[in-house]
Amino acid sequence: MSTENKTAQLITKLIRETAKGNVKWDVKNAPRSLNYETEQSVPLYIQTEYKNKTLGVYDIRSKYFTDVDEYSWKESIGFCIVDDEERVVWEANEYSPALLELFNTAREQAAGIDDILDGLLSD
């Protein structure tokens, strides 16, 4: 089975486990290699520990150059595995609906949006 297929299966499993409450996500500072010495920015990085591995899902904003001095920003979602020294040892940045769903699910859980909305709606 290819790495892409295994990654897709893992992402699907993480979505299910997060929905069940078995996986907890927290907003963290992005590993240094995702932000420094690159033409990209990671404004939101969300991390979890799953089966003794550190996994991250994040928002990537990259410069898309149309000329030497002209560029626009492109936004995408990334997924990574981080080692004990907070280095990204593997990452996947190819767009998939499942990866976007994992990012949104992890972001909602990390923000505690359900509790916030319930509190705002209560009398």
Side-chain angles (χ1 to χ4, degrees):
M1 183 181 299
S2 74
T3 303
E4 288 177 14
N5 288 340
K6 289 178 183 179
T7 302
Q9 285 183 344
L10 175 58
I11 289 169
T12 301
K13 187 171 187 176
L14 288 169
I15 292 167
R16 279 195 306 257
E17 293 299 310
T18 301
K20 290 179 188 175
N22 296 334
V23 173
K24 302 292 184 204
W25 295 88
D26 295 304
V27 174
K28 301 278 187 177
N29 290 325
R32 181 176 170 79
S33 63
L34 293 178
N35 272 323
Y36 295 97
E37 299 173 0
T38 69
E39 294 288 335
Q40 70 183 24
S41 171
V42 176
L44 182 60
Y45 175 80
I46 308 165
Q47 183 173 292
T48 192
E49 296 293 322
Y50 183 70
K51 295 188 176 184
N52 297 318
K53 299 293 180 192
T54 302
L55 308 175
V57 63
Y58 49 95
D59 180 22
I60 307 168
R61 296 182 186 163
S62 305
K63 288 182 180 178
Y64 176 75
F65 286 91
T66 54
D67 199 356
V68 175
D69 294 334
E70 295 179 23
Y71 63 89
S72 60
W73 289 95
K74 179 182 99 172
E75 191 168 8
S76 60
I77 304 298
F79 177 72
C80 66
I81 298 174
V82 179
D83 70 7
D84 292 338
E85 295 182 27
E86 297 186 6
R87 295 176 296 203
V88 174
V89 294
W90 183 84
E91 65 183 306
N93 298 332
E94 296 298 319
Y95 174 78
S96 77
L99 182 54
L100 179 59
E101 183 179 346
L102 177 61
F103 177 76
N104 288 332
T105 301
R107 181 176 57 181
E108 287 174 12
Q109 186 196 72
I113 195 67
D114 284 337
D115 292 338
I116 291 169
L117 292 174
D118 287 345
L120 293 171
L121 293 170
S122 67
D123 293 333

